[in-house]
Amino acid sequence: LARFCWFLGLELRRSELGRARVVIASHFRERVPDCWSSMFGSNHNWLRISRVLHCLGLCGLRDEQQALLQCLEELYQSGRARCASAMPHWRGRARQARWPSMRSRVFR
């Protein structure tokens, strides 16, 4: 996740208690043209974000999943990323993917 966040211009941090937090990194502006500019209302990297949110949930990394989603919400609310079309999808991906529900399907 740390490498993916770097790619997006974000940074994964940990609190003293080990809680995940994703924040805007110092090189965020450099990543805007590749990762956050939208053509026709979206960006192909936004599909990657959807997949990462989903996979974090499937792997039981709910804290990291919610940290990434919270940062995405902040980017959207602040206007730093014009990702209105992606936000409902990202929220849904974070809600859908949960380790216990997937585990119960696998071990039946």
Side-chain angles (χ1 to χ4, degrees), residues 74-89:
E74 290 170 12
L75 285 171
Y76 168 63
Q77 295 296 327
S78 69
R80 287 184 158 167
R82 294 189 175 132
C83 54
S85 63
M87 286 309 305
H89 184 69

Side-chain angles (χ1 to χ4, degrees), residues 12-50:
L12 175 65
R13 293 185 181 169
R14 296 271 176 196
S15 71
E16 290 179 14
L17 300 175
R19 301 276 322 217
R21 183 162 184 236
V22 176
V23 298
I24 296 169
S26 60
H27 67 286
F28 178 79
R29 285 182 180 225
E30 297 168 26
R31 301 304 302 150
V32 167
D34 290 330
C35 299
W36 300 105
S37 295
S38 62
M39 293 181 83
F40 309 109
S42 67
N43 179 306
H44 72 279
N45 287 306
W46 295 359
L47 292 173
R48 290 184 175 116
I49 294 171
S50 298

Side-chain angles (χ1 to χ4, degrees), residues 35-77:
C35 299
W36 300 105
S37 295
S38 62
M39 293 181 83
F40 309 109
S42 67
N43 179 306
H44 72 279
N45 287 306
W46 295 359
L47 292 173
R48 290 184 175 116
I49 294 171
S50 298
R51 290 184 200 111
V52 167
L53 285 168
H54 185 75
C55 290
L56 288 170
L58 291 178
C59 292
L61 299 172
R62 182 94 170 119
D63 188 43
E64 289 82 353
Q65 181 192 54
Q66 290 306 301
L68 178 56
L69 182 61
Q70 178 62 39
C71 185
L72 295 170
E73 293 277 5
E74 290 170 12
L75 285 171
Y76 168 63
Q77 295 296 327

Side-chain angles (χ1 to χ4, degrees), residues 57-58 60 62 97-108:
L58 291 178
R62 182 94 170 119
R98 299 275 198 299
W99 166 249
S101 62
M102 184 58 139
R103 185 178 183 195
S104 64
R105 284 188 221 153
V106 171
F107 294 109
R108 280 188 195 174

